[in-house]
Amino acid sequence: MRAVVLKDFGGVENLAYMEWPEPSPQEGEVKIRVRVASVNPTDYKARKGGNEGKTPLVLGRDVAGLIDSVGRGVRGFKPGDEVMAYLPRFGEDGGNGYAEFVCVPEEFVVHKPRKLSFAEAAAVPLVALTAYEAVVMKARFDKGDSAFVAGASGGVGTLAVQMLRHLGASPILATAGSETSAAYLREKLGIQAGHIVRYGGLSVEEVAAKVQAANGGNRVKVAVDLVGRDMKRVCLRVVDYWGHVASIASDPNNPIPQIFTTQPEGLFWKSCSFHAVFLRTPVRGGGRPYFAQFKKNLLHIREWLETGALKPPQVTEVGPLNAQNVGRAHLMLEDGHTQGKLVLPVG
């Protein structure tokens, strides 16, 4: 088969569209003929060598396509089924989504929602599962509680805002780094203009003050950090007493001891909780006993998509799957101002 292969860690010039061994499904796995592959920030970070592994490898963490064949013991799928799949990284691999075929345990696969195109379905699994863990599994709030999302215009943010709204959070506040992002938040996600905070050129303290001002002078019950660094500090400042901060950004150089203090950005200062979200760690560290939770979450997400409670992220087709288009998508994401998700049709 053909795949976009990362020959060595580094720049996009290390990507090559070439022949690659076609996989066969093992016990409990399905083989998917990929129709559309999605691109995520974790891909370019892995390309640079930030997520361990060894080269050559194939990146790509979610896809949509057709079941080609199934391994022994698989009962829920048959050849020809339209599906979408999350592709965890197992061992040294990179996810394997930038290819014509991919094999993955059936727990990470669900039937494609009928209302969604293959491009829309490919854009869902990784970001929706991440948002679901942050908002549904980790953040605890009651209907009518306020929420703040830092990084709401990206793929994860798009789903996180919708989940918060569906579960009753109100108002929902968000940051925007540009007018394009602000327009996306207003027009695509329905966030009121008065609840969008522009942060360009402002300090952490100034952004936090604007967030609270947009919330009627009050702190928020839930703060979701999808950016890290200074935005994590903003979240810690604006979260309310007994509130919850959920973050998907690990920030290796963040001064962790300061977070666990009684200072303004410390958890003890407001007796609040901090929830770390790293989607693939239960897969790599815990193994198969933990796979069922992913299936449960994906089925819930699929139900919401079918009923219209959730809509997929806005998708931009960069072009057919090849090394040049994958590289272009990576650079677009590295620029940091992409709304929704980038996808690549395959074949």
Side-chain angles (χ1 to χ4, degrees):
M1 69 174 184
R2 302 280 286 177
V4 174
V5 178
L6 179 65
K7 297 184 292 184
D8 199 4
F9 295 120
V12 295
E13 67 276 5
N14 292 333
L15 297 166
Y17 191 47
M18 55 187 282
E19 292 296 321
W20 188 253
E22 186 173 321
S24 297
Q26 304 302 304
E27 182 175 0
E29 291 186 342
V30 299
K31 180 180 179 181
I32 301 171
R33 179 184 293 273
V34 180
R35 289 285 299 273
V36 180
S38 173
V39 185
N40 295 281
T42 187
D43 296 340
Y44 78 72
K45 294 172 185 177
R47 189 201 75 231
K48 292 180 173 182
N51 289 347
E52 303 175 344
K54 62 181 180 180
T55 55
L57 56 78
V58 176
L59 300 170
R61 302 293 299 281
D62 40 15
V63 299
L66 303 171
I67 296 293
D68 179 81
S69 57
V70 301
R72 187 163 59 89
V74 173
R75 297 288 181 265
F77 301 98
K78 64 183 185 302
D81 285 352
E82 297 181 348
V83 297
M84 62 183 189
Y86 165 58
L87 307 175
R89 293 185 62 200
F90 295 99
E92 302 287 350
D93 74 26
N96 301 312
Y98 298 167
E100 293 179 317
F101 295 94
V102 65
C103 290
V104 65
E106 64 173 319
E107 290 93 334
F108 302 103
V109 184
V110 292
H111 290 92
K112 181 178 75 66
R114 290 164 292 182
K115 295 182 178 180
L116 271 59
S117 66
F118 281 106
E120 290 171 328
V124 167
L126 185 145
V127 294
L129 284 168
T130 303
Y132 191 96
E133 182 174 339
V135 172
V136 181
M137 294 177 66
K138 301 292 181 64
R140 295 286 186 266
F141 60 95
D142 295 322
K143 187 174 182 179
D145 284 341
S146 56
F148 166 64
V149 182
S153 64
V156 178
T158 295
L159 274 299
V161 167
Q162 293 183 74
M163 290 179 187
L164 286 164
R165 181 178 292 120
H166 181 64
L167 295 173
S170 181
I172 299 173
L173 306 102
T175 52
S178 66
E179 178 51 38
T180 302
S181 293
Y184 180 84
L185 296 176
R186 292 192 306 269
E187 298 165 12
K188 300 295 184 181
L189 298 184
I191 297 180
Q192 297 179 21
H195 293 154
I196 299 172
V197 173
R198 299 289 294 273
Y199 60 82
L202 300 181
S203 67
V204 167
E205 294 77 13
E206 290 169 330
V207 176
K210 290 189 72 172
V211 171
Q212 287 190 214
N215 193 36
N218 301 310
R219 299 182 177 91
V220 299
K221 183 61 178 293
V222 175
V224 183
D225 166 39
L226 308 177
V227 181
R229 301 184 184 278
D230 281 350
M231 283 301 167
K232 183 181 275 84
R233 295 177 58 198
V234 170
C235 288
L236 289 166
R237 277 185 172 268
V238 302
V239 70
D240 204 353
Y241 297 100
W242 301 319
H244 302 272
V245 176
S247 175
I248 72 170
S250 60
D251 291 350
N253 298 320
N254 208 56
I256 297 299
Q258 293 182 26
I259 294 177
F260 293 93
T261 68
T262 55
Q263 300 305 308
E265 292 169 21
L267 300 176
F268 281 93
W269 186 57
K270 284 177 286 192
S271 193
C272 62
S273 61
F274 183 91
H275 303 274
V277 177
F278 195 0
L279 189 61
R280 66 184 170 92
T281 49
V283 176
R284 298 191 74 181
R288 195 121 204 176
Y290 293 84
F291 291 6
Q293 184 65 52
F294 288 85
K295 185 73 166 189
K296 178 181 178 182
N297 295 357
L298 273 174
L299 287 171
H300 200 180
I301 290 164
R302 181 182 181 276
E303 178 186 346
W304 281 349
L305 289 163
E306 286 281 24
T307 62
L310 284 185
K311 297 185 184 303
Q314 172 181 296
V315 296
T316 300
E317 292 193 8
V318 180
L321 182 74
N322 59 40
Q324 180 181 5
N325 287 334
V326 168
R328 188 154 63 95
H330 280 210
L331 294 177
M332 290 170 68
L333 287 177
E334 287 185 67
D335 185 52
H337 298 290
T338 300
Q339 281 76 53
K341 288 289 295 288
L342 304 177
V343 300
L344 304 108
V346 180

